[in-house]
Amino acid sequence: MSTENRTELSKGYEHKEVEARWYPRWEAAGLFRGQAGDESRPAFSIVLPPPNVTGSLHLGHALTATIQDILIRWKRMSGFNTLWLPGTDHAGIATQMIVEKELLRTEKKSRHDLGRTEFLKRVWAWKEKYGSRIGEQHKALGAALDWERERFTMDEGLSRAVREVFVRLHEEGLVYREKKLINWCPDCRTALSDLEVEHEEAHAGELWSFAYPLAEGGGEIVVATTRPETMLGDTAVAVHPDDERYRGMVGRKVRHPILGREIPIVADAILVDPKFGTGAVKVTPAHDFNDFEVGKRHGLPMVTVIGFDARMTAEAGPLAGLDRAQARKKVKELIAEQGLDRGTRPHVLPLGRCQRSQTVLEPLLSDQWYVRIEPLARPAIEAVEQGKTRFLPEQWTNTYMAWMRNIHDWCISRQLWWGHQIPAWYCPDGHVTVARETPPACGTCGKQGLRQDEDVLDTWFSSGLWPFSTMGWPEQNETLRTFYPTSVMETGHDIIFFWVARMMMMGIHFMGEVPFRTVYLHPMVRDEKGQKMSKTKGNVIDPLDITEKYGADALRFTLAALTAQGRDIKLAKERIEGYRAFANKLWNASRFALMNLSGFTAGGVDAAQAARTPADRWILARLQRAVNETVAALEGFHFNEAANVVYQFVWGELCDWYIELAKEALYGDRPEEKRGAQAVLTHCLETSLRLLHPLMPYVTEELWQTLKAQVGLRGPEFLLQAGYPQPGPVDEAAERSFGPVIGIVDAIRNIRGEMGIPWKTLLPGVQAGALTDEALATVRLEAARIERLSNAPGVAFGVQPTAKVPKSAVAVGPGFEVRVPLAGVVDMAAETGRIDKELQKLEAEAASLEKRLGNQGFVAKAPPEVVEKDRARVEELSQKRQKLLAHRAMLAEG
């Protein structure tokens, strides 16, 4: 039987069955397509941050997909022409390394054994076999992506866009090739940009001092280094021009004690701090970024003594062929043999490592391609200053600005085979021709026999074009005209420089407009203790395991409910279990509704007009307020607030209160009240399903289809095509008059719970006062219901505050006050004793925690999440203590 015709639900929510049924149908119906050229609706577009083709879905992907899907479904239901464009990134170095390892494991061969052409065939074959995996995983999450537009950073269209951008930038003088000092990873065998370097700020190393003898004899000059092996590449010693100690030495020379060559003493006010060490600094222009600039200023030779394999070159003389560690040891031995060692002391220094391999990087001189970045950065800074693009949370604006204003030229060439090969060709005479297609001859001298540059472009170069290249640029088409600029870029704050800034620069330069209006940077997902998830800690939560066990809706709702701006997510499986229970609660409420809607037809029935009781009018008012607050939260990117508003309404008001309150009318013999309750219940349930759909698409679709079939709801084929509930006026009078009914019952129940009073114990003499005239009329009308739901016969209602009664508990809420006499109900002595014991235990724990937090050594050394947890516990204990003291005071009242 097709789902549209089902009017019954199974006893429990079986997420696997529901999820397997709906996604293929949504996709087959074309629900996710963006309509290029449709000017009848406002456009709303997002490009999915392309996950690596090597990847498998992790929690970061799941969070991104959840947030973006919420936005897309909400906007589509709100009448927008939406496009959510998917794709994957070729992930140059990551993919190449995976295939190389597989090749070595299965065939005991390297990529060089195969050659470039054959190796690239193997990579493409790997991509075809495994590259679609993460797309299928996104589908399992319910992501409403327009799969017909799926792109890959190395597909034909995007490759054309990459070549076009490179050539245009080169023609504009913004791409150039130059021999510079670069970050080199000896393990990955490629240059890296500054952003691909992980800086270990406080590495425990050593500072070694040694003496350079003056060439003409009669003295020495002492320098220090953390890298002894680099002294083989020294081409100068620098001192400060104002340092009196060395004024007579500038211009003289020292003798290299291992290689024998003479090197000059130069004066440099920029490099040298005369107050540090001896005030003299060794200069190695080919192996240190600061020294490289000194070398350029003074025209020093740049001698490369460490090669791309991290071994010493022929320039290292007798140490040629040694690796860095061996050379370091040997240099110190040779210097000591000559009596020039001046000692070693511990020294904390920054150390750069490869982001991927964690290998210590080597600054090396190399011919590389660069983007001249300042002319591109300036308009991207101005766009944010002028409000054309905004960052959320707002504090990331300052981070973006600080980096952009101090940006360096971008090294874009990588010594890999997998990627966009640089469209530059060299003729036999060394001329360079940059072209969109393979040139037949040199553009300078006309010679043939050209050789293409073997390097490929940085992966982030193609990713930087993603918002417009994926829509068909450089062609000017309807897709670009309709959906560019995109509406939102939602991603992690860890790639604000790698990706967001570069998209801003490229988008403005080539499209003349910012690539997105809003950048929403989501928080990091940590474990329940606030620690970063890692395999070594064993605290990784696999989203695929979660969706298998609890369902995609439970994971999605959990992530949304925990996503607060500026605060990392602490994810515990208990929270996921709790929101799985929410899906079950919604399912069971729908089953109850369907069982009590027999014979009711919703077509043409207006719930507000059909409402007959104060409870009917109250729940309709609460529903409208929930709609207003949810839409406001979504508009402000407050996903946790949107989730919590819907949760509180559905569970706390619709299920826990209205369904219970409506049973009297549904089971009773008053047709008008029954029909009113049916109309209101149908409206509240159907509207709640639409309100909740962007967060929990699967369960809401199943329930909506079944409800629609039973009560004859008019509407489209699928829930995503239905209108999203719209903000409107709230019946505040209905809230004010009926709210105290709920509040009074809750207050009495809470006092029962806090005082340990069993439900079966009657509570006589309860007073409910401080009511408005409006509320008083309603609570008197509902008196029997209040007494039945709280097991408190003869509640006295009034507009005056309650009369004081010895040994009574008081609760105050919005528009009411409740007083419950405890004498004869609670054993005062036993309860006071229990409270005293609990206070003693609580105060002991608080004292222990406060002592620990008062220890500055603990606060400085303990992980921040531990300190935060202890402080939160102290606050929790303080609040609990105040409650216990208040209860004891109530019991002591005479």
Side-chain angles (χ1 to χ4, degrees), residues 532-557:
K532 188 174 181 179
M533 291 187 185
S534 69
K535 291 179 181 177
T536 54
K537 291 179 182 176
N539 62 350
V540 172
I541 296 177
D542 187 336
L544 301 177
D545 292 343
I546 295 298
T547 55
E548 175 74 15
K549 185 174 182 179
Y550 302 109
D553 285 337
L555 176 61
R556 288 169 59 113
F557 198 88

Side-chain angles (χ1 to χ4, degrees), residues 1-10 13 17-18 21-22 25 586-587 590-595 597 600 682 685-686 689 698-713 716-719:
M1 182 165 50
S2 70
T3 303
E4 288 88 345
N5 297 322
R6 290 166 65 173
T7 58
E8 292 183 5
L9 294 172
S10 59
Y13 174 44
E17 176 192 338
V18 171
R21 176 163 54 248
W22 284 113
R25 299 185 65 180
L586 182 65
W587 186 271
S590 300
R591 286 188 75 235
F592 170 83
L594 291 169
M595 288 188 290
L597 293 175
F600 174 75
T682 300
L685 181 57
E686 194 273 340
L689 294 173
Y698 287 116
V699 67
T700 52
E701 183 78 77
E702 182 80 4
L703 296 175
W704 187 80
Q705 294 285 356
T706 310
L707 179 66
K708 186 175 76 159
Q710 172 152 333
V711 302
L713 279 171
E717 185 178 357
F718 295 98
L719 183 48

Side-chain angles (χ1 to χ4, degrees), residues 546 550 554-555 558 571-580:
I546 295 298
Y550 302 109
L555 176 61
T558 304
L571 185 63
K573 287 187 179 178
E574 290 75 19
R575 292 297 294 266
I576 303 168
E577 290 171 359
Y579 291 123
R580 161 69 191 193

Side-chain angles (χ1 to χ4, degrees), residues 524-534 537 539 567-572 863-869:
M524 179 179 287
V525 183
R526 299 180 179 273
D527 73 5
E528 60 189 299
K529 297 177 182 176
Q531 296 180 336
K532 188 174 181 179
M533 291 187 185
S534 69
K537 291 179 182 176
N539 62 350
R567 191 167 67 235
D568 283 349
I569 292 172
K570 294 181 181 178
L571 185 63
E865 59 270 16
V866 172
V867 176
E868 181 187 342
K869 184 179 178 182

Side-chain angles (χ1 to χ4, degrees), residues 710-876:
Q710 172 152 333
V711 302
L713 279 171
R714 299 188 186 122
E717 185 178 357
F718 295 98
L719 183 48
L720 186 57
Q721 297 167 316
Y724 200 73
Q726 293 300 299
V730 175
D731 184 352
E732 294 182 357
E735 287 184 311
R736 286 194 306 269
S737 64
F738 196 79
V741 174
I742 306 293
I744 290 166
V745 174
D746 271 340
I748 298 170
R749 288 175 173 178
N750 288 340
I751 289 170
R752 276 187 182 277
E754 289 170 359
M755 293 297 181
I757 304 169
W759 170 253
K760 64 183 180 181
T761 302
L762 296 175
L763 293 177
V766 173
Q767 302 174 59
L771 294 160
T772 64
D773 290 335
E774 184 179 39
L776 180 60
T778 304
V779 296
R780 281 179 173 163
L781 190 67
E782 300 287 338
R785 199 196 306 259
I786 292 171
E787 293 171 1
R788 174 169 53 82
L789 293 174
S790 57
N791 199 19
V795 178
F797 303 105
V799 294
Q800 298 299 319
T802 59
K804 285 191 176 183
V805 176
K807 294 182 173 46
S808 60
V810 178
V812 178
F816 69 90
E817 176 185 286
V818 169
R819 185 179 294 272
V820 178
L822 302 176
V825 175
V826 174
D827 184 330
M828 300 297 179
E831 183 64 9
T832 301
R834 183 192 69 79
I835 290 173
D836 286 342
K837 283 183 181 178
E838 195 168 343
L839 276 169
Q840 189 177 6
K841 181 180 175 184
L842 178 151
E843 287 166 353
E845 183 184 353
S848 173
L849 288 170
E850 285 169 351
K851 182 179 179 182
R852 184 158 64 176
L853 290 169
N855 181 340
Q856 292 304 311
F858 166 76
V859 173
K861 294 177 182 178
E865 59 270 16
V866 172
V867 176
E868 181 187 342
K869 184 179 178 182
D870 282 357
R871 285 175 176 156
R873 178 60 177 161
V874 169
E875 177 61 26
E876 180 187 346

Side-chain angles (χ1 to χ4, degrees), residues 649-662:
F649 172 77
V650 171
W651 191 310
E653 296 179 330
L654 179 61
C655 296
D656 280 0
W657 278 107
Y658 182 72
I659 286 178
E660 290 302 315
L661 297 171

Side-chain angles (χ1 to χ4, degrees), residues 348-628:
V348 175
L349 66 146
L351 195 67
R353 295 183 182 274
C354 173
Q355 188 183 56
R356 183 162 298 278
S357 69
Q358 293 299 303
T359 303
V360 175
L361 297 177
E362 193 62 54
L364 292 179
L365 272 177
S366 177
D367 285 308
Q368 301 289 340
W369 289 90
Y370 294 86
V371 172
R372 200 179 311 281
I373 212 76
E374 194 276 335
L376 298 175
R378 199 181 318 117
I381 291 170
E382 291 170 357
V384 174
E385 288 175 334
Q386 295 165 8
K388 294 177 181 177
T389 295
R390 63 170 179 153
F391 283 83
L392 292 175
E394 289 183 0
Q395 69 258 29
W396 290 108
T397 304
N398 294 332
T399 306
Y400 168 86
M401 288 295 197
W403 187 74
M404 292 290 276
R405 286 173 177 146
N406 295 281
I407 199 166
H408 300 289
D409 284 1
W410 174 17
C411 177
I412 55 172
S413 45
R414 297 291 180 272
Q415 289 62 54
L416 305 170
W417 286 358
W418 174 243
H420 295 99
Q421 193 167 352
I422 291 174
W425 288 261
Y426 304 92
C427 77
D429 290 349
H431 301 132
V432 181
T433 301
V434 172
R436 293 167 177 81
E437 304 294 340
T438 304
C442 175
T444 302
C445 66
K447 286 187 177 179
Q448 297 183 338
L450 304 185
R451 172 183 59 83
Q452 187 174 359
D453 195 309
E454 293 186 356
D455 291 351
V456 301
L457 289 165
D458 180 5
T459 297
W460 297 102
F461 189 90
S462 53
S463 300
L465 319 180
W466 190 249
F468 58 93
S469 64
T470 52
M471 295 187 193
W473 188 91
E475 298 296 332
Q476 294 301 314
N477 56 38
E478 287 294 337
T479 300
L480 278 168
R481 282 190 283 272
T482 304
F483 295 113
Y484 188 94
T486 63
S487 307
V488 176
M489 169 47 59
E490 191 284 334
T491 188
H493 58 73
D494 54 329
I495 55 174
I496 187 173
F497 308 134
F498 279 111
W499 195 40
V500 176
R502 287 164 177 170
M503 285 189 288
M504 285 288 288
M505 291 187 281
M506 293 297 193
I508 293 169
H509 191 75
F510 289 99
M511 294 297 296
E513 288 188 87
V514 295
F516 22 74
R517 302 297 188 195
T518 299
V519 179
Y520 177 81
L521 298 167
H522 66 235
M524 179 179 287
V525 183
R526 299 180 179 273
D527 73 5
E528 60 189 299
K529 297 177 182 176
Q531 296 180 336
K532 188 174 181 179
M533 291 187 185
S534 69
K535 291 179 181 177
T536 54
K537 291 179 182 176
N539 62 350
V540 172
I541 296 177
D542 187 336
L544 301 177
D545 292 343
I546 295 298
T547 55
E548 175 74 15
K549 185 174 182 179
Y550 302 109
D553 285 337
L555 176 61
R556 288 169 59 113
F557 198 88
T558 304
L559 292 172
L562 297 177
T563 299
Q565 289 185 22
R567 191 167 67 235
D568 283 349
I569 292 172
K570 294 181 181 178
L571 185 63
K573 287 187 179 178
E574 290 75 19
R575 292 297 294 266
I576 303 168
E577 290 171 359
Y579 291 123
R580 161 69 191 193
F582 176 54
N584 286 334
K585 185 83 170 179
L586 182 65
W587 186 271
N588 291 332
S590 300
R591 286 188 75 235
F592 170 83
L594 291 169
M595 288 188 290
N596 287 279
L597 293 175
S598 179
F600 174 75
T601 303
V605 176
D606 182 283
Q609 291 181 2
R612 286 293 176 268
T613 68
D616 291 341
R617 289 186 285 273
W618 171 78
I619 195 64
L620 291 174
R622 297 303 297 161
L623 172 63
Q624 187 59 59
R625 188 170 296 281
V627 169
N628 294 356

